[in-house]
Amino acid sequence: MGHSRVHLWFIGPAVILMMGLLIFPVFVAAFLSFTDYNLGNPSFNWIGVENYDRLVTRSTYKKMFTASLTYVLLVVPISVALGLGAALLISSLRIGGELYKAVFFLPVMATLLAMAIVWEFALHPIVGVVNDILRSGCDVGLLHALLSGSWLGGDPLQSWYGHACAEDFPLWLGDKDYALGTIAFIGIWQGFGFNMVLYLAGLTSVPRELYQAAHMDGADSAWERFRLVTWPMLGPTNVFVVTISSIRSFQVFDTVEALTRGGPAKSTYVMVYAMFEKGVKQNLLGIGSAITIVFLGFVLILTLIQVYFVNRRVHYA
Amino acid sequence: MAGISLRQVTKTYGTLRVLNGIDLDIADGEYLTLVGPSGCGKSTTLRIIAGLETQTTGDVEIDGRVVNEVRPSRRDLAMVFQSYALYPHLTVRQNLVTPLQLRDMNFWQRIPLLGHLAPGRRAKMSKIEDDMRKAAEILKIEPLLHRKPGQLSGGQRQRVALGRAMVRNPAAFLMDEPLSNLDAALRVHMRAELSELHRELGATFVYVTHDQAEALTMSDRMAVMMDGDILQLGPPDEVYEDPRDIRVAEFIGSPKMNILPGQGDSAGRITALGVAVEEALAEPSEGPLSVGFRPEHLHIQPKDAGACFSGRLTYKENLGSDVFLHLAVEGIEGKAVIRAKPHEADFADVGEDVWFTGEVGKARVFGADGKRVTLAEPQLMRMTS
């Protein structure tokens, strides 16, 4: 190698940019999270772990963690399962697959903020199309009997549908029992097309001869072949899809900002929205930074889990 | 153990016809090779036998039973794939027991963990374990049982693929170019081993290859396929000695047969490249012919002794025991190749013109349609000439 320093000139710019744009801000955030700095204040005090203490003791932040984790636990399994199911169905089609791909992928490409406005109208308690449709079913005797369970002899008022017909249908985004579920539904609707595309790519990499071998070996049902070939061969795709979906769900922000602003009663107060509210709207950079650092911790853990699986269990070649 | 028969099997993909009515009878315990260039339909034929593809028309019979509607797994056949198609996430042991578990155990017994509670599982599992051990022993892969396919060499994967085919003790083995992913030395070794395995198991083997050497060395009978037809079916030496079609003659044998453009006349005399050949047509007729000589049936001559062909020596390929002489001969495309002993070709140097003759009785003559032309018996020939 000699004494050449040329290599420094090659890697230098990239290292400097990475330090300046990625690593340095993290350290700044970590530093600020131990202070009570507010944007605009001339100085700040060193307050140690007080911000973190607040995160674990105050009920607002307990609600924040509950909302974020519930959202992730709802969206990830459902959007992964739907993505895989849609990919399997589409890949088994001879014609029309392209159309389905485009339709399911549409929400991924659409601007979520614009879509959120559409959802807001659709979910409007009085003029929204969702409740309109639900309400119209109440007058159709057969449908009402079916959905409320009264055809089985149950009391219609005991069922969700029968009760809602009698009282009214929920304020999807305005009721603290429904808001997070509704936001999660939109997240699933928006995200599963992306998972589907990843799974479709994963499916094309499964060698056809493996399926033929499975046929010869006696895996007669589609389920047997799925268990013997498809599922194990999708291992690397699974790890990637689950990690990406988890990180994306942790990052949910735009639907919350557009539809509920964290409410009602903090039921949709997810982490990134809390960061935004504390750090940007209220200028409380100290607590905002603390939330950011905890958030980074979650993402880091997810990434480490992914790296572990990629290196260990699912690497075949 | 069982014989396999194909009756007028055709296959078309859209408008493309890949099999034009294949008739084939494979005897019980036979080692039959389907050989041909790529795209000739040999793999399709094999996959139709396996049931992985459905023929457009015609019947497939296994052991006298028509199996057109029978699933691949119920045909009691095993297949070895070119890529081996081992399950990469399972160990060698698991790969070997999978076909047995799928055949012998019911749905409940196969559920992971919970399956251990299903009644009768233990007895079946120990039987399966025995069968697996037996196959592993024959193929000498016992030390590999706990490895995954990714940790095996090509030859070891090949053995495991054979093992997975063997464990079920199937009626017949179908092999789709199983050796083509191996390196040359291992391929030659595995040829011998496969033949030995065939003898040991006594099962029917249907073997697909594009390598004429594999077909010649391993099989009891070989079927040469081209363009969706079986051109010739017979024991390897018969196909080599007595090709019925010019395409078979050129495909089988390496280096390939030398084809010299020739002419027949109404007296039955034959000339090739304008030189009289010491053979005669059984049914004399005028017209163009192709006269084929295998490289070992051409002999280099030190001088023009009459009735000699001539050409320019462009390359001497020395194999030690033999030497291949490549000649540029006017009137034929490519090169003529002569197989000679090293001392026979001492005098010839590259760049020189040399003379050569065809061995009497070894010419294979084909008509303009590519079909073999019958030659007169040698006595008759002398009378006419």
Side-chain angles (χ1 to χ4, degrees), chain B residues 95-335:
Chain B
N95 263 290
L96 292 181
V97 299
T98 296
L100 294 173
Q101 286 181 330
L102 284 168
R103 185 188 63 184
D104 296 340
M105 289 163 68
N106 62 32
F107 179 79
W108 302 109
Q109 291 167 336
R110 273 187 275 125
I111 296 176
L113 300 175
L114 273 181
H116 289 272
L117 302 174
R121 187 178 192 276
R122 181 178 292 240
K124 278 184 188 171
M125 212 45 220
S126 75
K127 164 92 171 61
I128 286 173
E129 191 74 19
D130 285 348
D131 290 349
M132 185 273 294
R133 291 273 166 204
K134 240 175 264 167
E137 204 174 311
I138 293 175
L139 293 167
K140 304 181 190 70
I141 50 175
E142 289 156 305
L144 310 175
L145 287 178
H146 293 286
R147 294 212 208 151
K148 291 201 172 165
Q151 300 163 306
L152 303 178
S153 69
Q156 289 169 331
R157 285 182 212 185
Q158 174 67 66
R159 270 169 219 267
V160 177
L162 276 172
R164 187 177 61 180
M166 266 169 56
V167 283
R168 275 191 301 141
N169 204 8
F173 289 81
L174 311 177
M175 306 197 186
D176 193 359
E177 312 224 2
L179 303 186
S180 50
N181 281 3
L182 301 178
D183 62 60
L186 198 53
R187 203 177 307 160
V188 173
H189 174 75
M190 285 305 285
R191 272 190 217 161
E193 236 172 69
L194 272 180
S195 303
E196 206 170 300
L197 188 68
H198 173 244
R199 242 190 334 275
E200 206 166 316
L201 298 175
T204 312
F205 275 38
V206 185
Y207 186 100
V208 161
T209 181
H210 65 268
D211 182 347
Q212 51 90 27
E214 281 176 20
L216 286 172
T217 49
M218 295 161 77
S219 38
D220 296 331
R221 280 193 308 162
M222 59 197 277
V224 185
M225 289 187 71
M226 250 167 247
D227 305 325
D229 287 305
I230 292 181
L231 295 183
Q232 190 166 356
L233 171 66
D237 39 359
E238 181 190 305
V239 174
Y240 185 82
E241 286 296 326
D242 192 18
R244 306 311 306 165
D245 190 293
I246 193 165
R247 290 175 287 173
V248 177
E250 287 195 280
F251 187 76
I252 302 297
S254 173
K256 65 177 194 159
M257 184 183 266
N258 300 293
I259 304 293
L260 312 177
Q263 198 72 33
D265 69 11
S266 52
R269 285 188 292 259
I270 302 169
T271 56
L273 291 168
V275 178
V277 178
E278 284 193 45
E279 309 278 358
L281 299 172
E283 293 162 15
S285 72
E286 256 183 73
L289 299 168
S290 299
V291 181
F293 283 103
R294 296 223 176 259
E296 61 269 33
H297 298 146
L298 288 177
H299 298 288
I300 188 163
Q301 303 295 341
K303 54 185 193 297
D304 188 357
C308 277
F309 308 106
S310 75
R312 180 176 298 257
L313 184 61
T314 57
Y315 179 49
K316 276 171 103 169
E317 192 179 3
N318 190 356
L319 299 182
S321 60
D322 288 304
V323 54
F324 291 133
L325 307 171
H326 295 246
L327 306 177
V329 179
E330 208 169 313
I332 64 173
E333 280 176 57
K335 298 280 191 285

Side-chain angles (χ1 to χ4, degrees), chain A residues 207-221 223-225 227-229 232-233 313 316-317, chain B residues 47 50 52 71-74 77 79 81-83 85-89 98-99 102 107 110 112 150 164 168:
Chain A
R208 281 186 42 138
E209 285 199 334
L210 273 186
Y211 286 109
Q212 293 167 356
H215 268 292
M216 298 300 294
D217 284 347
D220 287 338
S221 66
W223 165 246
E224 292 284 1
R225 288 192 295 279
R227 237 188 62 189
L228 188 61
V229 180
M233 295 305 288
R313 230 169 55 80
Y316 298 137
Chain B
R47 295 148 64 82
L52 294 172
R71 288 172 166 284
S73 59
R74 306 263 180 255
L77 304 171
M79 189 148 169
F81 295 86
Q82 179 175 357
S83 65
L86 299 172
Y87 307 116
H89 59 291
T98 296
L102 284 168
F107 179 79
R110 273 187 275 125
R164 187 177 61 180
R168 275 191 301 141

Side-chain angles (χ1 to χ4, degrees), chain A residues 133-147 161 165:
Chain A
I133 291 173
L134 287 172
R135 226 173 267 132
S136 67
C138 292
D139 303 329
V140 182
L142 188 72
L143 212 57
H144 181 263
L146 199 69
L147 290 173
Y161 191 76
C165 274

